[in-house]
Amino acid sequence: MNQRQSLEPSDTAAVREMLAGTGYAEKAIEYYIRKVFMGDMPDADQVSEMVGSCGDTMKVFLKVENSIIKDIKYQVLGCPGAVSSAMAAAKLVRGKDLKYARTINDNDIFSELEDIPAQKHHCIQLAVKTLHKAIDEYGNGK
Ligand code: FES
């Protein structure tokens, strides 16, 4: 059972309240709660993984056709900032070409999230670095 399934409505309200209280914008909270791009992808064309400076781990799955990211999923073993950042990164690059996706940076994710606590900005970096690693490895045929 994933976290989304295990949350009762009242729990979700409590999580929203906690995150809002620690500095997450409503949009960042939505990404965390909904987890639209979370999961694995058995037929992925590229799977890449990265461990952040905090020890948290992200894995990204890409489905690519004619240099377009047709689908993207993340698996995240990490904090709400990591989950929100990964979901925002996926939203920004799904349906876009690889070249564009490689230019996505920390500021783009921060703008998409609207706000997360300052001490969580390295979580954004992890989402971006994992995505860039996957694009580079896909380009290198790894
Ligand atoms: Fe590790 Fe957020 S604390 S990614």
Side-chain angles (χ1 to χ4, degrees):
M1 184 185 292
N2 67 31
Q3 197 166 9
R4 191 168 153 201
Q5 291 166 326
S6 67
L7 284 175
E8 296 300 322
S10 57
D11 295 334
T12 305
V15 169
R16 281 180 189 281
E17 197 178 326
M18 278 180 78
L19 292 174
T22 53
Y24 286 82
E26 187 55 40
K27 203 164 174 198
I29 295 171
E30 270 310 302
Y31 274 120
Y32 176 69
I33 300 274
R34 291 166 59 85
K35 296 181 177 62
V36 172
F37 302 104
M38 188 75 90
D40 71 354
M41 190 188 292
D43 62 342
D45 297 306
Q46 179 65 43
V47 182
S48 297
E49 188 171 336
M50 189 165 257
V51 180
S53 55
C54 59
D56 288 345
T57 303
M58 275 192 201
K59 200 186 256 192
V60 67
F61 302 79
L62 299 179
K63 188 80 195 153
V64 182
E65 274 177 41
N66 300 323
S67 299
I68 303 291
I69 298 176
K70 288 303 222 187
D71 202 6
I72 174 169
K73 296 276 186 199
Y74 274 88
Q75 284 182 339
V76 181
L77 280 177
C79 70
V83 173
S84 300
S85 300
M87 299 301 98
K91 168 81 182 336
L92 290 180
V93 304
R94 192 173 188 269
K96 303 291 195 318
D97 69 45
L98 291 166
K99 247 188 195 157
Y100 169 79
R102 189 62 178 77
T103 69
I104 288 290
N105 62 31
D106 300 357
N107 286 335
D108 297 323
I109 305 300
F110 186 75
S111 300
E112 180 63 19
L113 293 173
E114 292 178 351
D115 203 9
I116 66 170
Q119 66 269 30
K120 291 288 165 188
H121 287 191
H122 74 275
C123 317
I124 291 179
Q125 288 174 353
L126 179 57
V128 170
K129 281 183 182 169
T130 310
L131 174 66
H132 288 177
K133 183 180 180 189
I135 294 168
D136 291 347
E137 290 184 346
Y138 178 78
N140 293 333
K142 280 189 205 162

